[in-house]
Amino acid sequence: MDHSLRCFVTTTPKTHFLLSSLSLFFFIFFSFSNAAFDLATIPFNDGFSPLFGDANVVRTSDDNGVKLLLDRYTGSGFISSNMYKYGFFSANIKLPSNYTAGVCIAFYTSNGDVFEKSHDELDFEFLGNIAGKPWRFQTNLYGNGSTHRGREERYRLWFDPTKEYHRYSILWTAKNIIFYIDEVPIREVLRSKEMGADYPSKPMSLYATIWDASNWATSGGRYKVNYKYAPFVVEFKDLVLKGCYVDPIQEVSHEEACVDQHTDLEAQSYATMTHMRRHAMRRFRQRFMYYSYCYDTLRYPMSPPECNIIPAEQQRFKDTGRLKFGGSHRRQTRRKGRTTTPIDDIDHGGM
C-alpha cells in the first residue's frame, strides 16, 4: 500500500506546526499498517457463495477475490458457506470511484436468516458520496435482536478508498469486538454485565453486499443513485475467515466444540489491544469520528449501559452525538429489507 502523503501548501510557521502534527499522526497510523497481521486467506470458492444478483458477482480468474456490481436492475452480494461462533473476518476492499451517492456497501456478520427476531450483527457500512466529496462510513452492532438500540459510530477516512485496496476487519471474541482498518483499531466494544444479552453471542455468517440505498445513505437521502454512472463496482480480495464454524441448531455445546479455536483466536496478535494500538485508536477517533450514539442524548437521554463516556470526546459533541460544527441529524429508515434505526446520515459539511 502506498503511504505517500503530499501537501501542496505555502510554508509558514503555522503550516510548519500543522504539517509536523500531521506527520506524527500519519507516522503512527502507517507504522501499524506496515506491521501487517499474519493472516491466512482463502479462495472465494472455498468459503463463499453468491447471495443475490448472481450475474453481478464476478469472481477473479485466480479465485482470490470477487467484484460486486450494482446496476439499474440489481445489486449483488455474497455470503460465507458456514456460520461461525466468534472469529476474525477480513478482506482487502476497493470502493467505487466518482459519483456514488445513494450506494451502500456493507461488509458485516449476521445471523438474521436463522434468528429472525433475536439476531446479532456487526457492520461496516460505506455510505456513498457525491462527486468531489469523501466516502463516509459507519460501524454498528446489534445483539439478541436489540434493533431498538442502534449503536452507530460514523467516521471519515484518512485516505481515498477508491484508489487502492485497504483491509477492513472485524474481530469478535467472547470478550470483545474490535473493528480494524488496515492494522489500525478504530473501535472496541467490551463485553460487560451491563450490556447483558445485547452482546452478540450466537453463530454468524459473513456477508458483503452492494445495493441502492437512495432513501438514506447519502446526506439523509438528499442525493440518490444516478445510474448514468453505473455499474458501480466494489472489489474484494484476500478474504479471511478464521473461527470455529458451527451448526447454529446443533445440540453439541458450541463452547465445548470450539474451545481450542477460541483459545487460538484470542492468542492472535490482532486480539490484543496493546498500549500503542489503544493510542492509535484514540487518535483516529479524535480526528475522524463525527458521530457517536453514546453522546446522542436526544435518542438516549440516559447513556446506554455499555458506553464508556470519555469526557474529552463528550466535549466535542452536541446533544445529537455529532460534532459541534457542521453536519445534520435526521431520522430515516435503514437498509432495504433489514431493520430500521432512528439515526440517518450526517451530511458532508463539517470536518
Side-chain angles (χ1 to χ4, degrees), residues 183-244:
E183 281 67 47
V184 178
I186 66 166
R187 180 181 185 183
E188 181 181 30
V189 179
L190 297 173
R191 188 171 197 165
S192 66
K193 64 179 181 180
E194 290 79 14
M195 197 171 187
D198 280 4
Y199 188 86
S201 57
K202 296 185 292 297
M204 291 193 277
S205 301
L206 177 65
Y207 295 78
T209 58
I210 182 172
W211 59 287
D212 185 329
S214 290
N215 64 324
W216 73 274
T218 307
S219 297
R222 185 187 310 168
Y223 301 102
K224 314 296 185 183
V225 173
N226 186 338
Y227 286 102
K228 178 178 71 174
Y229 300 99
F232 303 97
V233 181
V234 55
E235 302 179 45
F236 299 81
K237 70 175 184 178
D238 305 323
L239 297 156
V240 174
L241 287 173
K242 181 176 177 60
C244 183

Side-chain angles (χ1 to χ4, degrees), residues 30-51:
F30 296 159
S31 64
F32 279 98
S33 297
N34 290 333
F37 295 142
D38 182 16
L39 303 176
T41 63
I42 63 171
F44 181 83
N45 284 336
D46 285 359
F48 300 91
S49 60
L51 177 65

Side-chain angles (χ1 to χ4, degrees), residues 294-307:
C294 285
Y295 304 115
D296 190 342
T297 58
L298 295 184
R299 292 172 70 191
Y300 306 121
M302 293 185 63
S303 179
E306 72 274 8
C307 287

Side-chain angles (χ1 to χ4, degrees), residues 154-174:
R154 295 190 173 184
Y155 327 85
R156 297 181 298 116
L157 290 165
W158 67 94
F159 55 82
D160 183 344
T162 72
K163 297 298 185 184
E164 55 190 9
Y165 290 91
H166 289 266
R167 181 164 290 283
Y168 303 86
S169 307
I170 301 170
L171 170 74
W172 171 44
T173 77

